Amino acid sequence: MAKKLKEVLDDAGISMDLQYGGESPEGLTEREIKKSPHPRVQKLKDIFMDTLSSANNEFPYWYTREYMMHDNEIPVVRRAKALRTAFSHLTPVIFPGELLVMRKASFFRGSFPMPWLSEGFYMAHEDDFYQEALKRGSASVDEHSKFGQGGGNVTKSFGKVISIAGKFGMRQEEVPALLKLAKMWAGKSVDDLGNKYEKMVPEYPVKEQIMRSIVCMFDSGFTLPQGREVINYYYPLEYGFDGIIKMATELKAEVAGKADGDGMVGMNRLYNYEAVIIALQGVQNWIANYSKEARRLEKLTTDKIQKKEYKEIADRLDWIEHNPPRTFIEALQMIETIHLAVLNEDAISGMSPGRIGQILYPYFEQDIEAGRITEDEVIELLELDRLVKTSIDCFASTGVVGGVLSGNTFNTVSIGGVDRFGQSAVNRLEYLILEAAVRNAMPQSTIALLYDEKIPEDFLMLAMDVIKSGAGYPAFMNSPIAQEFLMKQYGPEGMNLEDARAWAIGGCLETSPCAWKPLHLNGKEYFIPGGAGQPTSVGVHFISMPKVLELTLFNGVDPRTNEKVYEPHNRKLNSYDEVWDQFTKYWQKSVEVLAWTNNIQHDIWRKNNMAVINSLLKPDCLDNGHLINELGYRYNGTFNIESAGTITLVNSLAALKKLVFDDKVVTLAKLKEAIKDNFGFKDAREVNSFSLADQEKRDDSAGKWEELHFKTLQAPKYGNDDKYADEILLQWENFFCEDSSKYESLYGLKMYPCQISVSTHGAMGSATLATPDGRLSGTTFADASMSAYPGTDRNGPYALLNSATIWDHSKSQNSQLNIKIHPTAVRGIEGSRKLLDLTRAYMRKGGFHVQYNIVDSKVLKDAQLNPKNYRDLMVRVAGFTQYWVEIGKSVQDELISRTEYEGV
Amino acid sequence: MKNLIYKDTRNYSPIDVTKGVDLLTGKIVMADNTAPENYELRPKCKFCQNYKEENEFNGECEASMSDPKFFAYGDMDSVTCGMYKQIN
């Protein structure tokens, strides 16, 4: 049997010890904190755990049918009409025991395709899908109803269910309709039109090569045109839907026929207000249909309690269809409805509710004071909210949903932070949000704690308990650092300190601009925070830094495919500085061409597919009459440049510098030869493991590269407070943060860096050869942007924190550090205190984000072998929490192999 | 109507593409299993007078305002469709 790298190194007396600070106890160690949800929630959760991701055509059918009737209409009105018809026809589904109702589609965990964004995916598979749909039908659904290792993922077709994108199940009866709808959008979708025009960019061939070689992970213009932002619930909460329609109607009369000094888009305000009214009518119809369904069920059921609950649901829906909410439960139902409405308007991942504890506090405070609700009832509702959010799926292609997102939808809730005056914003409801999150531990909503020195100690200690439950949340985000970033990026658009303090996380950890608005409830005024910026899912996403280095070393040619990606540089690369210089040139070429082509895609999106519902929610669209596409939002400079593989690049540059240029123990030519030969190992896909330690030697390698490979592995590594490697990180960050502002979004505003990996470190690693740091071909890159490469951080957690904070994190939208700790290392109150001290130390050093996986690596290994026993096991990946069974193997392998801290 | 399968009845709330809740018993049932006889028909295009079937799964909606008539698919819910007319 072929030897694994771990065994090869053991033979050589080199340990690949992935534990630091002691040894973990034998056997599997459970997490310390475990709680259960309310029985009602548990019952619904049990359903969720056995639910498949399901898709149907109802929304796209009605959208397309209406849209195609109005080819002479103003684009924004045409879109609003299509949205109204689609929302009005969504079939309501309500499940017994629910208190918060409404779903994306007519399933417990439903979604649907949007062929107006991209239809090519279905068209390319037309024959396969169609034939499969017709052929199947004899097999029994019952026989396969337990199908689907991987939680709710429908990874393969079975019975009358067709797997789409390796994730969603669609009934075979619907597949021909999907193909018919897709055909109707051929040549008209954002994808097709965008591609038609992006080809006019002279450098377009480079872009195509970049995509083919997986230097870049995806086009943001038609995959997920919105998201990674903070929604704003203010206007419906303050005015109700009728109030907004009244406002838009009055404003329509005010602006009709008037440019008001704006000869470009001043006249558009009339059409925009008209579109707002039409789209909201659709949302109202949708709510009304749910109310009718609740009343139908009220009549149908014989259970008295259930009957009463259906009636109350219907009454609540009838009220919020027109009016601002009066109570906590009405407000929660309303924001749930708005949230789903926005998610149905566009393909969105990362529509974050923001600081809902502060948004809902007025209702909570007054209901508690009046005795209308108890804290226990609030917790139950918050537990139900987690179920609703976790049931949200985002329908997109395999590469996007699987390769980038791991199926996650990033409905992140933020807690903490400061108020308008800089004082702690923590309130009693946020304690209950944490309590609900530990009782009903589910991936959504992931929680971001906006850390400030003024946050109460007992709140932070409660957060530690939640972390120790193994939920992977809350993550800690540095509020002052975020505010510094926001002031720098959005200062030119008028951001002041007060607005900067309103910030929240959009997506997994994207610092997003927000604003305060005055909410009035029973004569009392409260200032609530909410999103005020465009999506940050837009721009250049994601560029593989190790791949760009690989192309630098191989003169612009991808050695994996032998295709030319960049023009050959023909440089000798005789010094580290020359390597660095060429690397930055290829990086800049990538960003430049991707920014231009993505700008075109987004421009097509804004012309035909603009957000109407999301726009009307965001300050200051209703006031100024302009939607997202006309810079109606208060903050519009949100386009960013996302990197992936930071630490793999840093370690690779450190190894090159040390071995080739400083110590001269190997020539660059020899090192490149070793890289091409994968240091004598098999490719990770052949081994079917994506962690370095598990890689197997090829039989024909005969130890040719063994010595060199050892040296690359022992070269300086990031995460050890070793300046040799850390200064390369500093060099990169200084370059990246300044360079990003040189690129311009279609809105004419400068871009900025975003440093998250999501799941791209798995997919991108898979397309990259061995790297000079000793990482082998096809294996996963280091997670996130500040996490150490597995097994290379050998000087303890504080050394890792020092390495990570060698640069100024406020120059970037974010950074990302994940640490894996064995449960015994943080056991008890003392353990919580140590964990808080570690976190606080990082925040005080200026680190932006840290989060922990409190888990025994042996449990993860067991879960990989026996997934059926671990349906509810959750882990932290990059910036999000996800069910272990729903993430890909490459990312699982990386998680298992991360250094496990046995003490902190 | 006899021998309806669950997913063609209004007494069924779909959890996913394979199963749902029987709203009268509260039990989880398979979508393609036969429902009890007295269960109410679920409005769907295939049960509508305006639906003109063209092939196994797809057809045309005679009530559509477009020219030519817009397509429809038989299994689509018509619970919210104002033009639904149940076949006799």
Side-chain angles (χ1 to χ4, degrees), chain A residues 50 52 61 89 108 171 296, chain B residues 15-16 19 32 71 80:
Chain A
D50 197 29
L52 301 174
Y61 173 84
H89 284 87
F108 201 92
R171 296 283 308 189
R296 185 181 79 86
Chain B
I15 290 171
D16 62 25
K19 61 186 173 297
D32 294 290
F71 90 100
T80 56

Side-chain angles (χ1 to χ4, degrees), chain A residues 80-384:
Chain A
K81 285 182 173 178
L83 287 170
R84 177 175 61 188
T85 300
F87 274 106
S88 303
H89 284 87
L90 279 175
T91 302
V93 281
I94 299 175
F95 300 95
E98 284 189 314
L99 295 177
L100 301 170
V101 295
M102 300 186 74
R103 302 264 158 185
K104 257 177 81 81
S106 55
F107 297 112
F108 201 92
R109 189 179 178 179
S111 60
F112 50 83
M114 294 188 177
W116 45 93
L117 288 176
S118 176
E119 89 302 335
F121 173 68
Y122 319 108
M123 298 289 281
H125 293 77
E126 182 178 17
D127 288 345
D128 288 344
F129 279 150
Y130 191 68
Q131 294 309 321
E132 201 164 12
L134 291 180
K135 267 192 299 184
R136 289 180 183 271
S138 52
S140 152
V141 172
D142 304 53
E143 193 183 326
H144 296 278
S145 62
K146 293 287 180 191
F147 175 87
Q149 296 215 350
N153 294 343
V154 181
T155 54
K156 287 178 188 165
S157 301
F158 63 91
K160 294 180 178 176
V161 176
I162 307 300
S163 167
I164 297 178
K167 159 97 182 156
F168 308 97
M170 182 176 271
R171 296 283 308 189
Q172 64 168 7
E173 302 91 320
E174 300 227 8
V175 173
L178 171 61
L179 299 174
K180 217 167 162 85
L181 288 168
K183 273 184 187 167
M184 291 181 180
W185 289 97
K188 298 179 181 131
S189 66
V190 178
D191 184 357
D192 285 359
L193 272 179
N195 187 247
K196 176 178 159 184
Y197 288 101
E198 70 178 349
K199 281 181 175 163
M200 296 175 191
V201 172
E203 282 86 351
Y204 175 77
V206 178
K207 188 244 175 171
E208 212 168 65
Q209 287 298 338
I210 280 173
M211 303 307 287
R212 277 221 291 265
S213 285
I214 316 189
V215 176
C216 177
M217 198 72 194
F218 72 94
D219 290 287
S220 61
F222 60 85
T223 49
L224 301 168
Q226 294 188 80
R228 303 194 166 268
E229 65 190 280
V230 180
I231 198 170
N232 199 316
Y233 306 117
Y234 169 73
Y235 289 94
L237 291 175
E238 175 72 3
Y239 302 103
F241 293 123
D242 280 1
I244 298 173
I245 289 174
K246 182 170 175 283
M247 191 190 306
T249 306
E250 287 167 1
L251 287 165
K252 204 169 68 167
E254 233 174 73
V255 302
K258 296 172 192 162
D260 282 339
D262 181 353
M264 288 296 286
V265 290
M267 294 293 288
N268 288 357
R269 294 173 300 167
L270 173 66
Y271 321 127
N272 292 337
Y273 284 127
E274 175 72 355
V276 163
I277 294 165
I278 293 168
L280 279 185
Q281 287 167 346
V283 174
Q284 286 185 310
N285 292 341
W286 184 39
I287 298 170
N289 285 335
Y290 264 88
S291 167
K292 277 183 216 157
E293 175 68 357
R295 296 218 186 274
R296 185 181 79 86
L297 296 177
E298 182 195 347
K299 285 182 194 149
L300 203 65
T301 188
T302 52
D303 182 305
K304 279 185 185 168
I305 294 171
Q306 184 62 71
K307 201 180 260 298
K308 180 171 170 280
E309 287 182 356
Y310 283 141
K311 182 186 179 307
E312 288 168 351
I313 287 169
D315 289 346
R316 272 197 293 280
L317 292 172
D318 286 348
W319 181 261
I320 65 154
E321 181 192 341
H322 301 285
N323 306 296
R326 300 160 296 188
T327 62
F328 181 80
I329 190 167
E330 281 178 4
L332 188 52
Q333 176 64 66
M334 180 172 243
I335 69 170
E336 217 69 279
T337 302
I338 299 164
H339 203 82
L340 294 173
V342 170
L343 292 178
N344 274 1
E345 184 184 27
D346 211 353
I348 297 176
S349 172
M351 182 55 68
S352 297
R355 290 154 74 162
I356 58 162
Q358 292 161 37
I359 295 161
L360 293 173
Y361 185 72
Y363 309 93
F364 169 79
E365 181 192 61
Q366 294 195 14
D367 276 9
I368 290 284
E369 272 175 19
R372 283 190 290 265
I373 201 165
T374 65
E375 288 203 348
D376 188 59
E377 287 166 338
V378 170
I379 291 171
E380 185 181 49
L381 288 170
L382 294 170
E383 290 170 9
L384 286 168

Side-chain angles (χ1 to χ4, degrees), chain A residues 476-504:
Chain A
F476 273 67
M477 317 284 181
N478 193 325
S479 188
I481 292 288
Q483 289 168 45
E484 259 189 71
F485 165 76
L486 288 162
M487 292 292 282
K488 279 184 241 176
Q489 179 64 23
Y490 300 103
E493 290 189 75
M495 168 82 72
N496 59 24
L497 182 59
E498 190 176 308
D499 265 8
R501 286 172 174 156
W503 81 286

Side-chain angles (χ1 to χ4, degrees), chain B residues 17 57 65 88:
Chain B
V17 281
F57 298 129
M65 304 292 283
N88 298 318

